[in-house]
């Protein structure tokens, strides 16, 4: 009869090939996010604060700008008109 180790997910997540594959996938997704950001560049602040962080088992794309929510999803401009968001986050999904 077969048995499954209770920490099998952790064992698999820490395999070098799995870690490399996760990092590669996130690099590709980060490239898509960066492409959208660059196409809609205004000041360059969002692009300068977009980072890919890789830990031991996972990776994240981080956009560290105080206005990231408004930039990504849209906002009302000072003149009252709606400004469409760039939807960079969705490009990385």
């Amino acid at each position: 009869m077969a048995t499954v180790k209770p920490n099998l997910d952790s064992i698999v997540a820490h395999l070098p090939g799995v870690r490399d594959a996760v990092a590669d996938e996130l690099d590709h997704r980060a490239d898509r996010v960066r492409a959208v950001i660059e196409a809609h560049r205004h000041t360059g602040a969002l692009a300068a604060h977009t980072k890919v962080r890789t830990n031991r088992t996972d990776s994240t794309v981080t956009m560290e700008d105080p206005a990231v929510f408004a930039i990504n999803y849209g906002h009302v401009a000072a003149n009252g008109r709606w400004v469409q968001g760039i939807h960079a986050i969705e490009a990385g999904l």
Side-chain angles (χ1 to χ4, degrees):
M1 174 156 55
T3 60
V4 177
K5 292 185 177 187
N7 62 337
L8 185 60
D9 58 339
S10 179
I11 292 169
V12 171
H14 288 88
L15 292 172
V18 172
R19 290 185 355 215
D20 291 344
V22 168
D24 288 346
E25 177 65 25
L26 212 334
D27 283 338
H28 293 301
R29 291 174 184 238
D31 288 343
R32 294 195 307 254
V33 170
R34 285 187 191 109
V36 171
I37 290 170
E38 289 297 323
H40 294 88
R41 181 178 218 161
H42 181 66
T43 65
L46 184 59
H49 295 101
T50 300
K51 311 273 187 250
V52 176
R53 294 188 177 140
T54 302
N55 299 338
R56 287 185 49 187
T57 58
D58 62 357
S59 298
T60 56
V61 176
T62 307
M63 294 185 290
E64 299 172 346
D65 187 289
V68 71
F69 187 82
I71 293 167
N72 192 69
Y73 296 110
H75 61 278
V76 177
N79 64 4
R81 296 186 63 185
W82 178 252
V83 177
Q84 289 293 326
I86 64 173
H87 299 284
I89 294 170
E90 291 84 347
L93 298 178

